[in-house]
Structure formats: structure tokens, C-alpha cells
Amino acid sequence: TLTRGLAGSSMPEFSLLPEEMRWDLVEYVRWLGIKGEFEQVMLDVAWEDEELPDADEIAEIVAGRWRAERLRPVFPGTTEPVADEAAVERGRALFNDMTRAACVSCHGPEGRGDGPNADAYEDDWGYPIRPRDLTAGVFRAGAEGADLYRTIAVGITGTPMSSFAGALSPEEIWDLVHFVQSLPRTGGGM
């Protein structure tokens, strides 16, 4: 993400920075995440207990959550299969299946972000949020197969886009990935 940037966002690419400097930036962003989580937990506990908690105790709890052995990268559970027409069609069926993935309820029948529930959502901060127009080919976490797989598998924190990791098999998630990747080429025409 740091090297390539994020299309459709204000995150530019930093490919011209030396690799060591990019890793330094990654660690700084991780530190900001740890710091933010520490501050939030301190506030939450202070609010709940009506007194300031022990900062060292909270720091240890938060640090434990960020230890390498606790962090698990989310990668596809299977190797990416061929993105043939059959995979795209299986993905299309899942996309439109209201008893399974139900993507159509938010993203609409053509993936344009105009589903029947599109206007009903707020982010975690209470601001209105609309589903992504998938036909534009600009995806929040990247357009590569693994990027879209991760987004579908774990969802997007702070938004109504929830995780499908337990609801769909890895193979079904890949089918959805291939269908979503087909939408910019077809313009949503199904």
C-alpha cells in the first residue's frame, strides 16, 4: 500500500523512497495505531470505572495485542484459481444471492453502489456512507486479487462492509473476487 498508494484515495505512492525508509514509515504507522489504541482503551476504562486506570497495565494489554505472534496476516486460504467465465458466473450468482453474500443489497444489481439499502448506512462515526461503485474499478484496499480477497474476507473496519470469512468458503470468495474484477470491464452489464 505504501509503495503503490491507494487509487481512489488521497494516499499517494511512495515507490521513489528507498525501501528502508518505506519500512520505517510502516513502523511509524504501526506505532500510531498502537498509540491510538492505548489512548482509546484508557478513555474507555476511565469512562467505565470513573477513575484513571493504571497506564502501565493498559500499555501491557495493548502491547500484547500487537505482538508478532498475535498478528495474523489475512491471505487467501487457497491459491487463486483461474479467473475463467465459470468463476465469474459463480461469483455473479453469489453476489446476487440474498441468502448468502447478498452483495446486491448494497452494491446494486450491476455493482454501481445503488442497491436498495445503499442509502441506509452510516460509518462508525455516524456519517452517511455509500457502498462502492464496483464498476469504476477503484477499490479501497487495492484491485489485485489478494487485495479484494482480503477486503471480502475481513470486511472494512469502520464501515458496514462486514467479514464473509465464516459465511463463504475461500473458493467462493475467489469467485466473488473474479466477478468484482469483471465489473469494470463490463460496466456492470450483467
Side-chain angles (χ1 to χ4, degrees), residues 106-115 130-135 186-189:
C106 298
H107 294 285
E110 295 185 350
R112 297 184 186 280
D114 59 354
R130 291 193 51 87
R132 180 73 60 173
D133 176 354
L134 303 173
T135 66
T186 64

Side-chain angles (χ1 to χ4, degrees), residues 7-180:
S9 77
S10 59
M11 174 76 175
E13 69 170 70
F14 291 93
S15 60
L16 297 178
L17 288 178
E19 184 175 2
E20 183 179 343
M21 189 176 287
R22 290 193 307 261
W23 281 112
D24 289 344
L25 286 170
V26 167
E27 286 306 310
Y28 179 68
V29 170
R30 283 174 39 90
W31 178 82
L32 288 173
I34 293 167
K35 179 179 181 284
E37 185 174 342
F38 169 77
E39 291 169 353
Q40 187 63 57
V41 171
M42 287 287 290
L43 286 171
D44 291 347
V45 171
W47 179 264
E48 188 175 304
D49 296 347
E50 296 183 0
E51 64 181 4
L52 287 176
D54 178 9
D56 291 334
E57 183 180 320
I58 299 299
E60 184 58 36
I61 291 169
V62 171
R65 295 177 183 171
W66 286 81
R67 286 197 178 88
E69 64 272 9
R70 296 264 334 254
L71 299 177
R72 66 177 178 84
V74 177
F75 291 106
T78 61
T79 305
E80 182 172 3
V82 175
D84 58 13
E85 196 56 37
V88 172
E89 286 306 314
R90 288 189 304 268
R92 179 190 323 274
L94 276 169
F95 187 90
N96 289 292
D97 186 340
M98 291 300 291
T99 63
R100 304 280 323 281
C103 309
V104 68
S105 67
C106 298
H107 294 285
E110 295 185 350
R112 297 184 186 280
D114 59 354
N117 298 335
D119 293 324
Y121 296 112
E122 294 179 343
D123 64 18
D124 283 359
W125 299 272
Y127 294 103
I129 188 169
R130 291 193 51 87
R132 180 73 60 173
D133 176 354
L134 303 173
T135 66
V138 177
F139 305 104
R140 186 173 185 150
E144 298 296 320
D147 300 330
L148 290 168
Y149 186 101
R150 228 179 350 266
T151 300
I152 294 168
V154 301
I156 302 174
T157 303
T159 76
M161 175 70 185
S162 61
S163 167
F164 286 91
L168 301 175
S169 71
E171 294 80 9
E172 290 173 317
I173 293 174
W174 276 122
D175 289 340
L176 272 176
V177 165
H178 294 146
F179 174 66
V180 168

